[in-house]
């Protein structure tokens, strides 16, 4: 999705409609923070002037305090369990770097047709079996939709609902419409409960530390819910 941040407004501004969230939106905010070196809290996102992002689709996005803190943590390279907590509130104002590019109805140029096509080369074995429609666990949920599961590849960072994925293999290609996207560690519900319990509730510090290391060492996966592209899509 060709989504990007074009400016900032305040959380309670009603000049802009609120758009849908999603991973592409999150990545766009992360990249905008990195690009400009912004540093402010989830509290600032909700309570300070010009800390709510506006995008090139003409819509703003609001996040929970915790949700925005998690985005800020990722933008600063902190992706461990509970790293977001440092960015929820209480940052020293003297060290904060706030957005200066303000968005107004008159300055935001609304862009349309933001969906894009992502092309990926697949090996023959993978090409033959996707998409899979069997019931299986994805991040703790039973899934029976057609889904393609991949490593969390950098080239698919902005893939989102409404985009197109083209898989190619030895001159063949299969084209899919993206219906939804999940990113996460591929744990069953039982595995997730066990791990979170050890990380959070164990009375032994060594057990909590070991569980946290185990969790953070797990690779991230990308699950794309898809259907074959139709001619009239």
């Amino acid at each position: 999705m060709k989504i990007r941040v074009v400016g900032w407004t305040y959380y309670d501004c009603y000049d802009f409609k609120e758009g849908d969230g999603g991973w592409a939106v999150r990545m766009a905010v992360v990249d905008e923070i990195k690009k400009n070196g912004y540093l402010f809290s989830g509290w600032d996102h909700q309570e300070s002037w010009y800390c709510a992002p506006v995008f090139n689709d003409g819509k703003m996005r609001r996040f929970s305090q915790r949700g925005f803190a998690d985005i800020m943590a990722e933008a600063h390279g902190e992706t461990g369990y509970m790293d977001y907590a440092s960015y929820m509130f209480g940052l020293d104002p003297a060290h904060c770097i706030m957005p200066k590019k303000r968005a107004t109805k008159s300055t935001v140029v609304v862009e349309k047709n933001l969906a894009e096509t992502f092309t990926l080369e697949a090996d023959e074995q993978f090409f033959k079996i996707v998409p899979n429609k069997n019931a299986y666990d994805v991040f703790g949920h039973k899934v029976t939709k057609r889904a393609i599961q991949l490593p969390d590849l950098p080239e698919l960072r902005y893939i989102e609902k409404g985009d197109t994925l083209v898989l190619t293999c030895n001159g063949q290609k299969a084209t899919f419409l993206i219906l939804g996207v999940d990113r996460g560690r591929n744990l069953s519900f039982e595995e997730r409960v066990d791990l979170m319990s050890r990380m959070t509730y164990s009375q032994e510090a060594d057990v909590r530390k070991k569980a946290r290391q185990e969790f953070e060492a797990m690779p991230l996966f990308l699950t794309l819910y898809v259907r074959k592209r139709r001619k009239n899509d």
Side-chain angles (χ1 to χ4, degrees), residues 90-162:
L91 293 179
D92 184 349
H95 295 141
C96 287
I97 301 174
M98 315 297 276
K100 292 184 174 62
K101 189 174 183 180
R102 299 176 181 178
T104 66
K105 290 288 284 186
S106 61
T107 61
V108 173
V109 178
V110 178
E111 299 175 17
K112 298 182 179 180
N113 303 317
L114 300 181
E116 57 183 319
T117 298
F118 296 82
T119 302
L120 195 66
E121 180 71 23
D123 63 43
E124 188 172 355
Q125 182 178 4
F126 184 79
F127 189 83
K128 285 180 178 179
I129 65 171
V130 294
N132 189 353
K133 198 180 181 181
N134 295 329
Y136 55 97
D137 268 320
V138 174
F139 315 139
H141 301 284
K142 289 293 182 182
V143 172
T144 55
K145 299 176 182 177
R146 292 192 183 276
I148 299 173
Q149 192 168 67
L150 299 163
D152 189 18
L153 301 170
E155 56 265 43
L156 299 179
R157 180 176 176 82
Y158 276 69
I159 198 165
E160 190 54 271
K161 179 180 178 181

Side-chain angles (χ1 to χ4, degrees), residues 7 10-11 24 38 48 68 80 82 91 94 108 143 145 150 153 155 195 202 208 218 223 232:
Y10 54 96
Y11 193 85
Y38 295 144
S48 295
F68 193 87
M82 295 289 288
L91 293 179
V108 173
V143 172
K145 299 176 182 177
L150 299 163
L153 301 170
E155 56 265 43
L195 196 53
S202 175
R208 294 196 301 273
M218 292 178 179
T223 298
N232 60 348

Side-chain angles (χ1 to χ4, degrees), residues 1 115-119 156 159-166 174-178 229 233:
M1 194 64 63
E116 57 183 319
T117 298
F118 296 82
T119 302
L156 299 179
I159 198 165
E160 190 54 271
K161 179 180 178 181
D163 287 336
T164 297
L165 175 68
V166 179
T175 305
F176 304 97
L177 177 66
I178 306 300
R229 266 287 191 186
D233 278 340

